[in-house]
Amino acid sequence: MQLISCPWCGPREEAEYHYGGQAHVAYPHDVGAMSDADWADYLFFRDNPRGPFAERWVHAAGCRRWFNAVRDTGTHEVLAVYRIGEPQPELGTQASR
Amino acid sequence: MTRLTTGGLIDRTTVLSFSFDGRPYAGHPGDTLASALLANGVHRVATSVNRGRPRGIMAAGVEEASALVQLEAPFPEPMLSATTIELYEGLVARGLPGRGKLADRPDPARYDAIHAHCDVLVVGAGPAGLMAALTAARAGSRVVLVDEQPMVGGSLLGTRGELSDWTATVLAELTSTPEVLVLSRTTAFGYYDDGFVLALQKRTDHLGAAAPDNAARQRIWRLRAKQVILATGAHERPVVFADNDRPGVMLAQAGRTYLNRYGVLAGNRILVFTTNDSAYVAAVELAEAGAEVTVVDPRTDLAPFWAAECARVGIAVRPGHMVTGTTGEERVTGVHLAAYPSGGASATVHCDLLLVSGGWNPTVHLFSQARGKLEYDAELGAFLPVAGLPGAGVVGVRVTGAAAGTVSLAGCLAGGAAEAVAALRDLGVAAQPVAPPPVGTDRVERAGLVLWTVPVEISLDGSDLSDTRFVDLQRDATVGDVLRAAGAGLRSVEHVKRYTTIGTAHDQGKTSGLIASGIMADALGVDMAALGTTTYRPPYASVSFAALAGRDRGAIFDPVRVTAIHSWHIEHGAQFEDVGQWKRPLCYPRRTAFGGLEDLPAAVARETRAARTGVAMLDASTLGKINVQGVDAGEFLDRIYTNIISTLKPGFVRYAVMCGMDGMILDDGTVMRVSDTEFVLTTTTGNAAKVLDWLEEFAQTEWPDLRVHLTSVTEQWATIPVVGPLSRQVIAAVAPALDVSNEAFGFMTWRSAEIAGIEARICRISFSGELAYEVNVPSWYGIAVWQAVFDAGQPYGITPYGTETMHVLRAEKGYPIIGQDTDGTVTPQDLGMSWVVSKKKLDFVGKRSFSRAENLRPDRKHLVGLLPVDRSVLLAEGAQVIADPDVSQLPVVMLGHVTSSYRSVALGGTFGLALVRSGRDRIGERLFAWQDGEVVPVMVTGPVLYDEEGARRDG
Ligand SMILES: [Zn+2]
């Protein structure tokens, strides 16, 4: 059972969290002017990298707050967590946790 | 009797009676079932699963893959190893023919789970583990030490009391150190991420019927450690030869353990077949205990020390020889010997016990589960852990002692202390290794011969079904099976494991895994290191489902939610249905004139008639309710719902629909405005948590600038719709201060009023099309207000109704249930509810998707009504709707499916709702429902089948 650090509560077991998909996908401006293809791209398409990936998580069985996390999708290691509205931290070669 | 008069860790002053296969026996405290059976001369214990061969006891511990038994008393428990059952008074067991039998009654014992956190977790209380735990304890760290045995010592327990004073001293120091927890009878069976280890503690199994009722029989420890030290020892592995499965064929260390720990001499004429020096000590000790011992060793260069020892105690040694087979049925009677490796000069030697040693497999299960890398050591013939875990996790997992391939006792003692110092250093703690106790010169100084099987003809042409060279005894899997796997083209040990099932039972690869790999490598002519070994997976040892379930059984397996009025429903004979976790009355069957109970259709007919012609009441407290507060609450709800909410005035209620970004309906309900800054939403019963999560996600992530707060109030309110043309009189009676006239209290408004002295919120909303008042009161008063309404309704024949009637009423009106009449691919427009989608709002969740080309197609599925031509035929929910009754031509074109179907008193027959392709353009058409192998003709109608003009809602 992996430990994930909630930016509000600290390290808690992964079962307390729910996954919320890719982070920093901004809601488009003026959606009425968008083509169907562009809207569909926003709606259905997300990145799927191997390696560090910024994601939304929610501490569902804890403080119920959403936050962002950078997770290595190859190792599941959570490299950084940060609150909504904070910029994605720069990750050096040494992972911060 | 084979029990010696002295020696061992058993209490001879106490006699325990037990029975096995129906016969009475006696043993002593300290015995296992296996040692007690051997003490009584019982070698045959079980029968193999596929081949029906007699099976005995091959080991003295958890690696036993042969002596499988069923406990019958005090409670039936199948598939246990006789070597892991501590003997207790009154034990009743029988040997198994490969399969056990589950109890026919619920297990009365209690099981539970507990969490613990520590700096250092040490798994295994042998020499290395004790040194590690002691070093960490003296450094002041929080230490948990777990060990599967009832007493500490590990491999020392199988010796003649070696270091027994020291282990007692260490245990005393550990147990008196406040931050140290020593858990005996506790098997760490799984390593999960970040230092999380699950362990099973057998707390009262060994007490039998004397186990106290108030103590959990077994407990799962959920251990979270910053550093893990695995001192899990090693399992001896056999060498495979023909008929190696006979009772009386045993691992060498097991024979030694039965002698030294249990005082049992398991044979009088013992043959020891070993490829390494470690079995010589067993041979010597057994000879000194009075057995006639012969050692067969394929090597020709005997260690001088052991050659001298054997000569001293009168052991005949046959160097350069091997065992090629055995004789005997219920117990081994003899051994076929031949020269190694030629196979020549064969001879048969009599014996009643054959001890085998092919070397040692370090117990690296937990390390492998932690994704630790293993590397093959050709000299030891074993996979050893490579220090350090991939992925640079924060939790250190270290392996020490025999598990790390250390052979000597002195090495294990020093290694345990050193690994603890290293683990503590990673925690920022400077520690000194504790001084090891003095030990004698180690006499196992060199690696043995790596031999998986005695030489065999390598043939990949398929297995000989008479093959008796067993690799996994429990699975009846042989050398031939491995060769057949190779012959079938399998090249990965993972595939061979699944093809042969080797290592998939109790064994979990402890004795069989490496041998299977070795045979594969030899057969394919590849390097063992390249072939690798199978990945170890939890659990390391068998764990019962009862232990894993713990307290989460019966009523608390999944929480059951009941409303504040539940007890009234029970008292009034409600029949319940499960809606999510909720118990809801389905209907309230009455006694019939003949003394029986109404069936569901009869009850529903009566209840619907009351709602349409008189007055009826429903417990709708399960509706999800969300309180939304904040100055931006209106703006927030405008963005969430498809229609405008912010224009709603306090005192008014609006029906509203919310969609996903893709435009598909998520949920619907009512929105009540309490004040400028407060709303209460309702959600579908089963969707309440999901909707709250959905709203929270938007509030926190997309629009954190909006000042809005969300709280679930589902449990805080009891909700009682009072429904029917006579509902006004009933509400007037219970709320005398309230003007219930249509002019003063119009449809889709709400008022505060006292009912039976309780402040209530009463809404003029209707889910039936009838005049209705929905009464909301705090849950504490739910049952009092329900009773008050029920009493006041008596003159009008008020009838409580359940969910089935609620469904009939709403379906007659064409009101969809989200999740029943929709399935995540349905837009508001598909339901014919364009009116609920605002054209004025600039944007809201899902708006852009409504104009996607796909969502504008004229042939989308629409919600329509279906009237069977024969109005006595009930449509099957889920039945496919088709246009052509000739279903012989495949494929049949599917137009949609029936989503709801009921019998209706008001409509004079059956009816249904359906999602049908271009459904609104087919109104008046004759289509067909395909159900139970028949086509049922139906007429397509609009979804509203009753009171289409809405004349009834105001009474
Ligand atoms: Zn939190």
Side-chain angles (χ1 to χ4, degrees):
Chain A
M1 177 100 66
Q2 197 171 356
L3 286 178
I4 297 173
S5 273
C6 168
W8 303 93
C9 307
R12 295 290 188 276
E13 296 192 339
E14 60 179 289
E16 295 186 14
Y17 297 87
H18 287 172
Y19 181 66
Q22 185 173 1
H24 309 302
V25 181
Y27 188 73
H29 293 289
D30 195 8
V31 294
M34 291 174 80
S35 68
D36 269 13
D38 286 348
W39 176 248
D41 191 59
Y42 164 74
L43 201 54
F44 300 121
F45 289 80
R46 293 294 181 269
D47 297 337
N48 186 21
R50 182 186 174 89
F53 187 43
E55 302 166 331
R56 277 179 178 175
W57 286 81
V58 60
H59 192 188
C63 64
R64 295 186 61 76
R65 299 239 207 166
W66 284 86
F67 60 93
N68 291 325
V70 179
R71 184 179 63 103
D72 188 316
T73 59
T75 63
H76 299 308
E77 192 176 0
V78 177
L79 306 171
V81 295
Y82 50 106
R83 297 174 183 183
I84 295 290
E86 292 179 353
Q88 182 175 340
E90 294 286 328
L91 292 174
T93 47
Q94 203 59 31
S96 63
R97 284 176 64 138
Chain B
M1 289 294 284
T2 58
R3 181 87 73 183
L4 303 177
T5 50
T6 57
L9 302 172
I10 52 167
D11 172 14
R12 286 183 178 78
T13 63
T14 305
V15 173
L16 302 175
S17 14
F18 70 102
S19 109
F20 184 76
D21 280 345
R23 288 193 199 89
Y25 296 103
H28 300 294
D31 264 328
T32 62
L33 176 59
S35 69
L37 287 171
L38 291 173
N40 286 280
V42 178
H43 277 259
R44 175 171 183 174
V45 170
T47 307
S48 82
V49 63
N50 293 325
R51 307 271 293 266
R53 290 172 68 92
R55 290 286 162 81
I57 296 162
M58 61 168 273
V62 69
E63 70 273 35
E64 177 66 48
S66 175
L68 293 168
V69 302
Q70 166 117 5
L71 281 185
E72 299 290 10
F75 186 79
E77 194 174 356
M79 299 299 279
L80 299 170
S81 301
T83 55
T84 61
I85 300 170
E86 289 182 53
L87 194 68
Y88 51 81
E89 174 65 31
L91 181 149
V92 178
R94 62 184 171 84
L96 285 176
R99 288 190 190 86
K101 194 162 172 282
L102 285 171
D104 56 1
R105 56 189 189 275
D107 185 349
R110 185 188 291 188
Y111 300 81
D112 67 13
I114 192 167
H115 292 257
H117 293 72
C118 61
D119 298 317
V120 180
L121 168 65
V122 180
V123 181
L130 287 174
M131 286 293 282
L134 192 61
T135 298
R138 287 193 182 161
S141 293
R142 179 173 290 187
V143 179
V144 175
L145 171 64
V146 304
D147 189 274
E148 60 173 13
Q149 292 294 322
M151 58 194 95
V152 300
S155 61
L156 298 173
L157 296 172
T159 67
R160 290 174 169 171
E162 194 169 4
L163 294 184
S164 58
D165 292 343
W166 177 77
T167 56
T169 313
V170 172
L171 179 64
E173 178 172 345
L174 290 174
T175 50
S176 63
T177 307
E179 291 294 320
V180 177
L181 178 65
V182 180
L183 297 171
S184 298
R185 298 187 170 98
T186 305
T187 304
F189 63 82
Y191 182 97
Y192 301 86
D193 295 294
D194 293 340
F196 191 60
V197 173
L198 290 186
L200 173 73
Q201 183 183 27
K202 295 189 170 176
R203 301 177 75 230
T204 67
D205 291 59
H206 61 289
L207 300 176
D213 290 341
N214 62 350
R217 178 175 177 242
Q218 297 182 353
R219 173 173 286 169
I220 300 284
W221 284 83
R222 300 174 181 162
L223 303 164
R224 179 74 71 172
K226 293 176 184 163
Q227 295 283 323
V228 178
I229 297 176
L230 302 173
T232 42
H235 293 296
E236 194 168 30
R237 64 165 178 265
V239 178
V240 176
F241 45 82
D243 296 314
N244 60 338
D245 64 329
R246 296 201 196 285
V249 180
M250 196 181 282
L251 292 164
Q253 181 63 27
R256 186 183 178 211
T257 297
Y258 285 117
L259 173 69
N260 290 325
R261 178 171 173 181
Y262 301 104
V264 174
L265 190 56
N268 295 313
R269 299 186 67 181
I270 303 174
L271 196 135
V272 179
F273 175 36
T274 183
T275 63
N276 63 89
D277 290 353
S278 74
Y280 278 81
V281 62
V284 170
E285 288 174 359
L286 287 161
E288 286 182 335
E292 182 190 329
V293 180
T294 304
V295 171
V296 176
D297 192 328
R299 302 172 299 174
T300 49
D301 55 334
L302 296 186
F305 174 82
W306 289 113
E309 278 291 283
C310 289
R312 180 177 65 80
V313 297
I315 292 175
V317 183
R318 305 281 296 265
H321 278 72
M322 59 182 172
V323 171
T324 58
T326 67
T327 61
E329 280 303 322
E330 296 289 297
R331 181 171 173 181
V332 65
T333 56
V335 168
H336 301 306
L337 299 183
Y340 174 85
S342 70
S346 63
T348 300
V349 176
H350 289 290
C351 72
D352 57 7
L353 185 70
L354 171 56
L355 299 181
V356 185
S357 178
W360 293 82
N361 295 339
T363 310
V364 292
H365 293 63
L366 293 173
F367 183 75
S368 177
Q369 290 171 18
R371 300 194 199 99
K373 201 165 159 264
L374 303 174
E375 245 171 34
Y376 186 65
D377 182 317
E379 195 167 295
L380 287 176
F383 284 91
L384 297 183
V386 179
L389 289 182
V394 278
V395 176
V397 179
R398 292 182 162 75
V399 188
T400 185
T406 307
V407 175
S408 71
L409 177 56
C412 290
L413 291 165
E419 290 299 335
V421 169
L424 292 166
R425 189 179 56 230
D426 284 359
L427 293 177
V429 177
Q432 291 300 314
V434 298
V439 293
T441 311
D442 199 86
R443 293 301 179 180
V444 181
E445 290 157 349
R446 47 175 198 158
L449 171 70
V450 175
L451 189 64
W452 313 114
T453 72
V454 297
V456 295
E457 197 79 5
I458 301 292
S459 158
L460 307 184
D461 295 342
S463 102
D464 175 1
L465 285 179
S466 64
D467 191 359
T468 59
R469 300 163 297 173
F470 290 93
V471 178
D472 185 336
L473 270 63
Q474 189 176 351
R475 291 294 191 212
D476 268 345
T478 61
V479 172
D481 292 328
V482 178
L483 296 178
R484 186 171 48 178
L490 304 182
R491 293 296 177 269
S492 151
V493 287
E494 297 286 358
H495 293 161
V496 172
K497 170 180 169 176
R498 284 152 184 80
Y499 187 85
T500 61
T501 71
I502 287 172
T504 58
H506 284 53
D507 172 67
Q508 287 297 309
K510 293 181 193 77
T511 59
S512 68
L514 217 55
I515 292 175
S517 295
I519 295 168
M520 273 293 283
D522 288 350
L524 298 173
V526 298
D527 186 21
M528 187 79 165
L531 190 66
T533 182
T534 53
T535 305
Y536 295 98
R537 292 191 171 80
Y540 161 74
S542 55
V543 181
S544 72
F545 282 109
L548 292 173
R551 302 295 298 272
D552 301 331
R553 290 164 56 166
I556 54 174
F557 171 67
D558 192 27
V560 172
R561 301 172 80 182
V562 298
T563 73
I565 310 165
H566 189 70
S567 59
W568 193 96
H569 304 321
I570 291 175
E571 283 165 23
H572 290 76
Q575 187 182 325
F576 289 91
E577 72 164 334
D578 293 334
V579 181
Q581 291 172 324
W582 290 100
K583 293 280 176 203
R584 296 197 70 179
L586 175 68
C587 64
Y588 297 80
R590 282 189 186 166
R591 295 243 159 254
T592 64
F594 308 105
L597 272 185
E598 284 176 333
D599 60 7
L600 179 67
V604 169
R606 177 178 49 74
E607 291 172 8
T608 52
R609 198 178 294 115
R612 291 272 183 235
T613 62
V615 60
M617 61 195 292
L618 173 75
D619 181 1
S621 306
T622 63
L623 276 181
K625 292 173 278 284
I626 299 170
N627 190 290
V628 183
Q629 293 193 38
V631 292
D632 295 323
E635 167 67 18
F636 175 78
L637 295 175
D638 276 353
R639 297 186 192 182
I640 287 288
Y641 284 112
T642 59
N643 46 346
I644 298 183
I645 305 298
S646 56
T647 56
L648 193 68
K649 291 181 174 52
F652 284 78
V653 184
R654 192 163 284 169
Y655 172 76
V657 166
M658 67 176 74
C659 293
M661 279 288 181
D662 57 2
M664 302 305 155
I665 296 182
L666 273 187
D667 201 53
D668 70 344
T670 56
V671 180
M672 163 200 278
R673 189 158 203 166
V674 178
S675 72
D676 282 349
T677 58
E678 181 179 357
F679 296 81
V680 176
L681 328 177
T682 65
T683 74
T684 312
T685 293
N687 256 354
K690 193 175 112 185
V691 170
L692 182 62
D693 287 350
W694 176 251
L695 302 188
E696 276 289 357
E697 180 172 358
F698 277 93
Q700 291 184 36
T701 66
E702 292 292 338
W703 313 314
D705 52 313
L706 293 186
R707 286 159 297 174
V708 60
H709 296 276
L710 304 152
T711 310
S712 166
V713 291
T714 301
E715 315 266 356
Q716 278 67 28
W717 292 93
T719 301
I720 308 167
V722 183
V723 177
L726 300 179
S727 58
R728 184 168 282 139
Q729 285 88 319
V730 176
I731 295 298
V734 288
L738 180 67
D739 184 345
V740 294
S741 70
N742 198 47
E743 295 68 36
F745 188 1
F747 187 58
M748 298 308 271
T749 65
W750 70 274
R751 298 288 179 268
S752 281
E754 269 195 10
I755 291 185
I758 307 304
E759 188 69 21
R761 290 173 176 177
I762 307 174
C763 306
R764 274 282 316 274
I765 56 178
S766 176
F767 196 42
S768 59
E770 297 297 325
L771 174 68
Y773 297 82
E774 186 191 86
V775 176
N776 291 277
V777 292
S779 292
W780 288 116
Y781 306 109
I783 201 156
V785 169
W786 173 276
Q787 186 67 48
V789 172
F790 184 72
D791 292 344
Q794 287 309 306
Y796 308 97
I798 197 165
T799 303
Y801 69 96
T803 49
E804 188 66 11
T805 291
M806 176 191 80
H807 277 288
V808 174
L809 297 173
R810 65 89 198 170
E812 289 169 346
K813 286 292 292 179
Y815 297 149
I817 298 270
I818 305 307
Q820 174 170 341
D821 300 293
T822 70
D823 61 3
T825 67
V826 178
T827 66
Q829 296 85 352
D830 295 338
L831 294 184
M833 298 203 313
S834 299
W835 53 267
V836 84
V837 178
S838 167
K839 306 271 186 297
K840 292 183 196 146
K841 283 197 288 184
L842 224 51
D843 199 9
F844 53 83
V845 174
K847 179 181 167 81
R848 174 63 184 83
S849 290
F850 295 146
S851 57
R852 291 182 67 226
E854 178 64 25
N855 293 341
L856 296 173
R857 286 165 58 128
D859 64 344
R860 286 187 65 79
K861 289 177 181 172
H862 301 149
L863 185 73
V864 293
L866 296 182
L867 291 177
V869 172
D870 175 350
R871 297 294 301 284
S872 69
V873 174
L874 186 66
L875 299 175
E877 289 178 352
Q880 292 289 343
V881 177
I882 56 179
D884 186 350
D886 176 10
V887 293
S888 62
Q889 287 300 310
L890 299 180
V892 177
V893 178
M894 307 292 185
L895 296 178
H897 70 281
V898 177
T899 59
S900 292
S901 168
Y902 308 99
R903 296 178 198 282
S904 166
V905 174
L907 302 179
T910 56
F911 74 104
L913 297 175
L915 287 170
V916 175
R917 211 162 272 294
S918 309
R920 283 194 289 276
D921 304 326
R922 297 180 188 271
I923 290 174
E925 274 183 32
R926 183 184 171 102
L927 296 177
F928 300 89
W930 170 253
Q931 61 188 54
D932 297 332
E934 284 183 44
V935 285
V936 177
V938 294
M939 298 302 294
V940 182
T941 72
V944 186
L945 288 161
Y946 185 74
D947 183 31
E948 199 170 354
E949 57 284 358
R952 306 185 61 82
R953 68 167 207 219
D954 293 330

